[in-house]
Amino acid sequence: AQSVTQPDIHITVSEGASLELRCNYSYGATPYLFWYVQSPGQGLQLLLKYFSGDTLVQGIKGFEAEFKRSQSSFNLRKPSVHWSDAAEYFCAMRPGRETSGSRLTFGEGTQLTVNP
Amino acid sequence: KAGVTQTPRYLIKTRGQQVTLSCSPISGHRSVSWYQQTPGQGLQFLFEYFSETQRNKGNFPGRFSGRQFSNSRSEMNVSTLELGDSALYLCASSPWTGGKETQYFGPGTRLLVL
């Protein structure tokens, strides 16, 4: 079975500080990995994705994530957080094969609070 | 391109009723997936439709059903509503199913069951 774990339910950072949100996955092969962000009452917006190749991927809004196979991790980072980054962040995965369908498995989410 | 649209955005129903939610994918997208989001269970996969065929189904009771039309628009139906069905229902679309495709989500339909 596949699963995604986000160990931090809630993180608080000061505006301008760096951010790292953790994501670990459980899957027997290389998965496809995604980070989505959700603002209150809204749908999910894709921040970035990893399919293959370069393990450091760049996304929108200044976010990046690094795939580490040895640690089964796909942590999200941002060097300087803005107040508008306050939201809930979800890590998700899909089996990394063509015939897997579109079913995403999500982590529990990490709520980010940004202090002024 | 317009994004994924979902209607209605908000809905209030009573126990025992049934409800139909609609999702219009991004133009050209043929895969539509549905997810239920609740505070207790998080985001859970309901089902995926591709070319009018159900391709995948999550672990939900038979009260939850869906369909997809030839224009790729999708509907999901919940019969005999229970209080626990109160949730945000999210629809996502992608050009194809599986592979290196990215799913784009709509704003969701918030269902409250009283």
Side-chain angles (χ1 to χ4, degrees):
Chain A
Q2 61 209 38
S3 65
V4 176
T5 302
Q6 293 179 245
D8 305 306
I9 295 173
H10 194 187
I11 283 183
T12 300
V13 300
S14 298
E15 190 168 17
S18 63
L19 172 71
E20 182 169 28
L21 302 183
R22 295 183 291 163
C23 172
N24 294 99
Y25 66 89
S26 176
Y27 180 61
T30 301
Y32 295 149
L33 295 161
F34 307 83
W35 275 99
Y36 286 90
V37 61
Q38 185 178 37
S39 298
Q42 301 299 312
L44 301 174
Q45 181 183 22
L46 178 72
L47 286 176
L48 45 77
K49 61 195 175 190
Y50 172 79
F51 290 140
S52 62
D54 193 347
T55 56
L56 184 64
V57 293
Q58 303 296 321
I60 62 171
K61 305 185 180 185
F63 286 94
E64 67 176 26
E66 186 171 12
F67 170 60
K68 292 185 177 180
R69 187 191 310 273
S70 61
Q71 297 177 21
S72 298
S73 69
F74 188 56
N75 294 348
L76 181 71
R77 300 193 295 249
K78 186 169 184 177
S80 178
V81 170
H82 188 262
W83 64 266
S84 61
D85 293 325
E88 189 157 21
Y89 292 78
F90 292 93
C91 181
M93 66 157 284
R94 256 192 7 241
R97 57 181 189 267
E98 294 297 315
T99 57
S100 64
S102 297
R103 175 177 186 161
L104 287 169
T105 298
F106 284 91
E108 305 90 335
T110 297
Q111 182 68 47
L112 174 66
T113 298
V114 180
N115 287 333
Chain B
K1 277 187 182 178
V4 178
T5 58
Q6 293 187 244
T7 56
R9 290 293 309 278
Y10 304 93
L11 208 47
I12 300 176
K13 293 285 188 179
T14 56
R15 278 182 302 173
Q17 287 187 310
Q18 76 166 16
V19 67
T20 299
L21 313 182
S22 180
C23 171
S24 292
I26 293 171
S27 178
H29 286 197
R30 294 172 59 187
S31 169
V32 173
S33 298
W34 289 89
Y35 295 83
Q36 181 196 64
Q37 184 178 25
T38 60
Q41 300 298 316
L43 281 152
Q44 293 188 291
F45 173 80
L46 281 156
F47 28 64
E48 177 195 0
Y49 285 87
F50 178 73
S51 292
E52 302 179 64
T53 300
Q54 187 179 87
R55 202 183 185 286
N56 259 316
K57 190 178 192 307
N59 189 26
F60 279 82
R63 299 185 297 107
F64 291 81
S65 63
R67 60 178 176 169
Q68 186 180 34
F69 302 94
S70 58
N71 62 357
S72 294
R73 189 177 71 84
S74 176
E75 289 181 346
M76 68 163 281
N77 183 77
V78 188
S79 63
T80 320
L81 284 166
E82 300 178 0
L83 296 179
D85 297 333
S86 294
L88 180 67
Y89 290 89
L90 293 165
C91 163
S93 77
S94 61
W96 201 256
T97 178
K100 297 180 179 178
E101 295 288 356
T102 300
Q103 288 182 279
Y104 297 91
F105 283 80
T109 294
R110 186 162 297 279
L111 171 65
L112 177 61
V113 182
L114 301 176

